[in-house]
């Protein structure tokens, strides 16, 4: 149809481009993952994640208030558990006065409108660094799910709005839904990590929580590939997401982010619940490292990646850039 149709007419200047832009970002599109440590007035930067800190509960609460003022409406929280509290049962995970439970109560008391989604998995509590209970050299599915139900109910009792199972055990969404309902928490939602791949992008996160698989005096899996997904697979991700929705998930997640946008779009086209995408620690660290060396423009690549994740079908983006991106957008 050229010259009647000229695509460049809609690109002449920023005003026109903004009028016809198909995808937009706002701070409410973001969820901020936060790492919580024991003690008071503790703020320790994670070396492999510049600008991201482990904070004690008092400083976490102050940060949450800042995030809310910027327009961010959700936080995904993780805890750094003391070594003496770790074992193979994960029992500290459902301690009503544990670090996670204290953090949930403190955040909800200080900022009731902030949506709190605590992580549900045993790896921060495991002496072996795995997401479940080790039996006969493997992560045993059903006993792990029993433990996760107790963990999730304790989070709900502390005031969590959603629980976020990241463990990838079979059948855990149904059991969590049944357990929450039986305990009277029908309105507590489940954001399931449905398509969580066995990815090399998680390294800095495991530094933050010391949750990588470890050498042990018993036989344990050397990695998490027996429960996290093979990154060569696409149809399996759709199957997992559909299964979680059928079991009662209110949201599903794809993890990691930018390298898996084909999966995000496939799942978005298949399910009828919100889709969350986790732009993970390795993706964050790569941008930080390249921009520190002057190889990339930090803010431009940050916003481009976030926009691409949203464009692919994400309703919510869990990202370590949440605060920086919100500040950028608010300018």
């Amino acid at each position: 149809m050229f010259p009647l149709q000229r695509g460049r007419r809609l690109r002449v200047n920023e005003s026109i481009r903004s009028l016809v832009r198909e995808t937009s970002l706002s701070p409410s599109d973001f969820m901020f993952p936060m790492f919580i440590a024991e003690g008071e007035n503790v703020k320790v930067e994670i070396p492999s994640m510049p600008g991201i800190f482990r904070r004690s509960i008092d400083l976490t609460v102050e940060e949450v208030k800042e995030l809310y003022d910027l327009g961010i409406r959700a936080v995904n929280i993780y805890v750094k558990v003391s070594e003496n509290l770790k074992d193979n049962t994960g029992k500290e995970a459902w301690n009503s006065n544990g670090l996670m439970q204290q953090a949930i109560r403190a955040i909800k008391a200080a900022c009731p409108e902030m949506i709190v989604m605590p992580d549900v998995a045993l790896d921060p509590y495991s002496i072996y660094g795995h997401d479940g209970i080790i039996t006969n050299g493997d992560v045993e599915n059903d006993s792990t799910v029993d433990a996760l139900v107790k963990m999730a109910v304790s989070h709900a009792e502390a005031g969590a709005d959603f629980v976020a199972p990241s463990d990838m055990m079979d059948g855990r969404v149904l059991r969590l839904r049944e357990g929450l309902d039986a305990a009277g928490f029908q309105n507590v939602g489940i954001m399931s990590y449905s398509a969580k791949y066995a990815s090399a992008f998680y390294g800095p996160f495991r530094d933050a929580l010391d949750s990588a698989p470890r050498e042990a005096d018993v036989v344990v899996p050397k990695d998490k590939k027996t429960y996290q997904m093979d990154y060569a697979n696409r149809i399996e991700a759709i199957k997992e997401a559909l299964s979680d929705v059928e079991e009662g998930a209110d949201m599903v997640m794809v993890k990691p982010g930018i390298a898996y946008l084909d999966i995000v779009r496939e799942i978005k086209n298949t399910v009828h619940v919100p889709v969350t995408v986790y732009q993970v620690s390795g993706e964050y660290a790569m941008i930080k490292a390249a921009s520190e060396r002057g190889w990339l423009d930090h803010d431009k690549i940050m916003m481009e990646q976030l926009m691409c994740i949203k464009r692919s079908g994400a309703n919510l983006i869990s990202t370590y850039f949440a605060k920086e991106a919100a500040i950028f957008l608010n300018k």
Side-chain angles (χ1 to χ4, degrees), residues 26 28 95 97 101 132 213 289 299 305:
S26 73
S28 62
N95 177 0
N97 200 37
Q101 290 77 2
D299 288 353
Q305 286 207 4

Side-chain angles (χ1 to χ4, degrees), residues 258-311:
I258 203 70
Y260 294 79
L261 297 188
D262 59 321
I263 306 301
V264 178
R265 175 45 60 186
E266 291 266 20
I267 289 177
K268 180 67 174 178
N269 288 344
T270 303
V271 302
H272 300 288
V273 299
V275 176
T276 304
V277 176
Y278 199 148
Q279 185 188 36
V280 298
S281 58
E283 297 172 286
Y284 173 88
M286 289 193 300
I287 293 175
K288 287 294 183 182
S291 61
E292 284 175 0
R293 287 160 176 77
W295 298 341
L296 293 173
D297 183 305
H298 178 278
D299 288 353
K300 287 182 179 178
I301 198 69
M302 171 182 73
M303 297 310 297
E304 181 178 344
Q305 286 207 4
L306 292 171
M307 186 68 79
C308 291
I309 292 171
K310 180 78 181 293
R311 188 195 66 220

Side-chain angles (χ1 to χ4, degrees), residues 29-331:
D29 290 321
F30 305 138
M31 176 164 61
F32 191 41
M34 305 186 77
F35 301 114
I36 301 170
E38 296 278 5
E40 293 184 7
N41 199 34
V42 174
K43 183 179 178 181
V44 179
E45 188 171 34
I46 299 160
S48 54
M49 300 177 70
I52 302 298
F53 299 85
R54 286 192 293 264
R55 292 179 171 87
S56 51
I57 291 175
D58 54 332
L59 299 187
T60 297
V61 166
E62 294 306 310
E63 181 76 351
V64 167
K65 291 177 182 177
E66 288 186 35
L67 296 170
Y68 193 83
D69 288 342
L70 288 168
I72 294 167
R73 295 294 180 259
V75 291
N76 187 204
I77 57 176
Y78 304 84
V79 291
K80 176 72 167 64
V81 179
S82 300
E83 286 297 317
N84 65 307
L85 296 176
K86 296 181 180 183
D87 62 12
N88 188 36
T89 70
K91 64 181 182 295
E92 178 62 19
W94 56 91
N95 177 0
S96 61
N97 200 37
L99 182 59
M100 178 69 87
Q101 290 77 2
Q102 292 181 51
I104 296 168
R105 288 193 291 266
I107 293 170
K108 294 302 290 185
C111 192
E113 297 303 312
M114 181 65 86
I115 301 302
V116 178
M117 301 192 188
D119 179 58
V120 176
L122 296 186
D123 49 330
Y125 304 89
S126 169
I127 54 173
Y128 303 124
H130 275 284
D131 289 44
I133 296 167
I134 300 295
T135 304
N136 298 324
D138 194 16
V139 176
E140 207 285 313
N141 193 93
D142 295 3
S143 61
T144 294
V145 172
D146 291 340
L148 297 177
V149 171
K150 290 186 278 190
M151 184 180 185
V153 170
S154 77
H155 292 174
E157 290 171 343
D161 299 283
F162 281 74
V163 294
S166 63
D167 56 286
M168 290 297 289
M169 297 298 113
D170 292 334
R172 90 276 205 211
V173 172
L174 177 60
R175 292 290 306 282
L176 289 175
R177 185 71 272 156
E178 291 173 341
L180 290 166
D181 289 356
F185 297 109
Q186 293 88 350
N187 290 331
V188 172
I190 298 174
M191 181 188 69
S192 175
Y193 289 56
S194 297
K196 180 179 180 181
Y197 285 86
S199 171
F201 283 106
Y202 304 149
F205 176 95
R206 292 173 181 169
D207 292 342
L209 293 184
D210 190 23
S211 60
R214 311 176 178 191
E215 296 290 333
D217 55 359
V218 298
V219 176
V220 298
K222 64 179 181 179
D223 54 37
K224 302 189 177 187
K225 293 181 179 180
T226 65
Y227 45 101
Q228 294 179 359
M229 284 179 48
D230 184 344
Y231 57 71
N233 293 353
R234 177 182 62 86
I235 295 171
E236 183 184 8
I238 300 169
K239 174 184 172 184
E240 290 283 355
L242 285 171
S243 176
D244 284 357
V245 172
E246 289 173 0
E247 291 180 18
D250 301 283
M251 302 185 192
V252 296
M253 177 186 277
V254 177
K255 180 181 181 183
I258 203 70
Y260 294 79
L261 297 188
D262 59 321
I263 306 301
V264 178
R265 175 45 60 186
E266 291 266 20
I267 289 177
K268 180 67 174 178
N269 288 344
T270 303
V271 302
H272 300 288
V273 299
V275 176
T276 304
V277 176
Y278 199 148
Q279 185 188 36
V280 298
S281 58
E283 297 172 286
Y284 173 88
M286 289 193 300
I287 293 175
K288 287 294 183 182
S291 61
E292 284 175 0
R293 287 160 176 77
W295 298 341
L296 293 173
D297 183 305
H298 178 278
D299 288 353
K300 287 182 179 178
I301 198 69
M302 171 182 73
M303 297 310 297
E304 181 178 344
Q305 286 207 4
L306 292 171
M307 186 68 79
C308 291
I309 292 171
K310 180 78 181 293
R311 188 195 66 220
S312 72
N315 298 98
L316 180 64
I317 304 170
S318 184
T319 174
Y320 300 98
F321 287 115
K323 185 176 182 180
E324 291 176 274
I327 290 169
F328 182 92
L329 289 168
N330 287 335
K331 288 179 180 177

